[in-house]
Amino acid sequence: MKLFCGIDWAESHHDVAVVDGDGLLVAKLRIDDSAEGFGKLLGLLAESGDTPDEPIPVAIETSRGLLVAALRGSGRNVYAINPMAVARYRDRHSMARKKSDHVDAMTLANILRTDAHAHRTLPADSDLARAITVLARAAQDAIWRRTKATQELRALLREYYPGFLDAFAGAGHTNLAMPDARAILAIAPTPALALGARLSKARIISALRKGGRQRRLEDTAIRILDALRRPQLRQPPLVEKALGRQASALLATLNIECVNADDLNAAAAEAFGQHPDHRIITSFPGLGESTGARVLAEIGDDRGRFADARGLKAFAGSAPVTRASGRSTCVTHRHVKNNRLAVVGFVWAFAAVPRPGPIKDHYERRRAHGDRHAAALRNVFNRLLGQLYHCLQANQTYDESKAFPGSVHAAEPAVA
């Protein structure tokens, strides 16, 4: 008898339902998130007919957490079903829009009973690949938090300390995440302190040295001191002091996120260097240790995860999507996608395009065809991603002459 299990996941407890091939409830249980609770779940599945040769498949609304890890370790197929999809399935059987944890568990089990072919099991990635996923995503999150803290601090300085932004602007906008800027802001968070006698060239040199600068310390200190002491509009003293305290608090957050981003990037790169796919991924133009780790983190190393390159491209959002209804047909880019992979794909294409060669030629052809910059980069990413899929399946590194056959650059000798 074919059986299916659905688990409505929650923070403190999980509702379990097992149904047969006709959709009839065979067993139900509520367990907590503990080893004892998982033991009860395995006991329930065994009593229902679970065997090592034919383990009961499980549908659950999340792909993360200890329960999912334990279920995967038991050797059974685990399906992570989107909660929005579960809500649509639930509405098929009730017009009253009633909802309960037990109903959701039944719905999940029935999804497998009727539509298992339309859903995919969790990929069988290696432990190393999953560890890289954790580190690469954490590093990406830290970078996003660093950017957020930088923008908040910049907006605050515009309110009372624009001279500081001008002092570190250089040829463009001020990057407050740079060590020089953070080191000086720590000792002079207000214009009053910048004009005070305590802010001397020697003190600035000391701060720059602590921030990591080793060259041209004296020239840099003189330039910064002159810029900070130029006349500028000022807030009232009490308001300026309060704003300085707020800036110091934001600076502390920024410092932490800068350290986190650097440490997590280094850890992700180190783990990525130990993976067998490192050689293939980093052979592609535009993919280095950091971006390569993020690509592997999102696509994994389960070769059967995607049926073909088209599936991977759709997952990444690089392939266009067609919407046709009646006489109306529209081709546009995908909005539903793996946003993390789409972001690193933009960086990948952006880094690969400037180098003279067939990739740059392809980008320029797309621009001449009428694509905007973002669309042309997405097209480059789409092509490179398909080539990466082929290289991973064939276990071979990137070969420009095969990737772009017939290109004039393919026949040119490599520059030593």
Side-chain angles (χ1 to χ4, degrees):
M1 181 175 62
K2 197 69 174 176
L3 297 173
F4 309 90
C5 177
I7 301 178
D8 181 67
W9 177 90
E11 183 177 350
S12 58
H13 65 265
H14 316 300
D15 280 79
V16 182
V18 179
V19 301
D20 60 17
D22 296 324
L24 299 177
L25 181 66
V26 175
K28 67 176 183 178
L29 180 68
R30 172 170 285 189
I31 61 174
D32 57 15
D33 197 9
S34 66
E36 182 181 358
F38 184 70
K40 292 180 180 178
L41 171 61
L42 293 181
L44 176 71
L45 294 176
E47 292 173 3
S48 301
D50 185 55
T51 64
D53 296 332
E54 291 189 40
I56 298 175
V58 175
I60 191 169
E61 289 179 308
T62 180
S63 61
R64 306 171 63 182
L66 288 172
L67 179 60
V68 174
L71 287 169
R72 294 179 69 174
S74 66
R76 67 189 68 252
N77 289 332
V78 180
Y79 295 78
I81 311 297
N82 190 295
M84 293 182 64
V86 177
R88 299 298 181 270
Y89 275 100
R90 186 172 61 240
D91 291 343
R92 291 168 56 185
H93 304 286
S94 175
M95 297 297 293
R97 301 180 68 85
K98 64 179 181 180
K99 183 186 184 304
S100 70
D101 294 340
H102 173 64
V103 168
D104 283 350
M106 285 281 293
T107 302
L108 284 161
N110 279 300
I111 288 174
L112 291 189
R113 181 178 66 87
T114 60
D115 292 324
H117 63 281
H119 299 276
R120 291 185 176 273
T121 59
L122 290 177
D125 292 328
S126 65
D127 290 345
L128 178 57
R130 291 164 63 190
I132 293 171
T133 299
V134 172
L135 293 171
R137 288 181 175 179
Q140 196 171 36
D141 289 339
I143 291 172
W144 288 340
R145 291 194 301 268
R146 182 183 67 188
T147 301
K148 180 176 181 292
T150 300
Q151 297 302 329
E152 288 181 351
L153 183 57
R154 176 182 174 80
L156 179 63
L157 292 174
R158 291 294 304 171
E159 293 185 20
Y160 80 102
Y161 204 177
F164 183 88
L165 297 176
D166 294 338
F168 291 91
H173 292 296
T174 305
N175 183 3
L176 295 174
M178 295 297 293
D180 286 0
R182 291 186 284 124
I184 301 305
L185 186 60
I187 62 174
T190 64
L193 291 175
L195 295 172
R198 293 185 60 188
L199 187 65
S200 61
K201 184 179 70 173
R203 192 177 182 196
I204 292 178
I205 290 176
S206 176
L208 292 174
R209 187 176 285 112
K210 289 181 180 178
R213 175 175 281 274
Q214 299 178 355
R215 301 176 60 185
R216 303 186 63 182
L217 288 169
E218 186 166 347
D219 292 342
T220 303
I222 293 174
R223 178 182 57 79
I224 292 173
L225 190 60
D226 291 342
L228 292 179
R229 289 184 173 177
R230 290 172 190 160
Q232 61 177 306
L233 296 178
R234 300 276 297 276
Q235 292 275 7
L238 288 178
V239 176
E240 182 181 280
K241 184 177 181 180
L243 290 169
R245 292 291 297 272
Q246 184 183 359
S248 297
L250 287 176
L251 178 62
T253 300
L254 177 59
N255 287 333
I256 292 173
E257 296 305 339
C258 287
V259 173
N260 288 341
D262 293 341
D263 290 349
L264 289 168
N265 261 325
E270 181 182 359
F272 176 51
Q274 302 171 15
H275 196 278
D277 291 343
H278 174 273
R279 173 182 60 90
I280 299 173
I281 294 176
T282 53
S283 69
F284 277 75
L287 281 183
E289 299 295 327
S290 178
T291 51
R294 292 179 202 170
V295 169
L296 178 62
E298 301 309 321
I299 67 176
D301 58 3
D302 180 4
R303 296 292 187 259
R305 180 176 184 177
F306 303 100
D308 51 29
R310 294 174 59 188
L312 175 57
K313 293 175 181 180
F315 177 73
S318 61
V321 61
T322 301
R323 295 183 175 90
S325 178
R327 298 181 180 179
S328 174
T329 302
C330 176
V331 180
T332 182
H333 68 277
R334 294 176 182 266
H335 295 280
V336 180
K337 57 185 180 296
N338 183 310
N339 290 318
R340 291 181 183 273
L341 185 53
V343 168
V344 73
F346 185 91
V347 176
W348 176 10
F350 186 81
V353 162
R355 193 184 73 168
I359 297 178
K360 184 176 183 180
D361 294 343
H362 181 76
Y363 168 81
E364 291 177 346
R365 280 195 300 270
R366 296 305 308 179
R367 292 285 284 161
H369 184 69
D371 286 355
R372 291 180 177 271
H373 174 65
L377 284 182
R378 188 163 54 247
N379 192 281
V380 170
F381 171 46
N382 189 59
R383 182 152 183 172
L384 290 174
L385 193 61
Q387 295 165 358
L388 176 61
Y389 176 85
H390 169 78
C391 288
L392 289 172
Q393 294 292 330
N395 194 30
Q396 65 183 42
T397 57
Y398 174 80
D399 187 336
E400 192 173 80
S401 62
K402 295 180 180 179
F404 295 89
S407 170
V408 295
H409 297 276
E412 294 178 359
V415 178

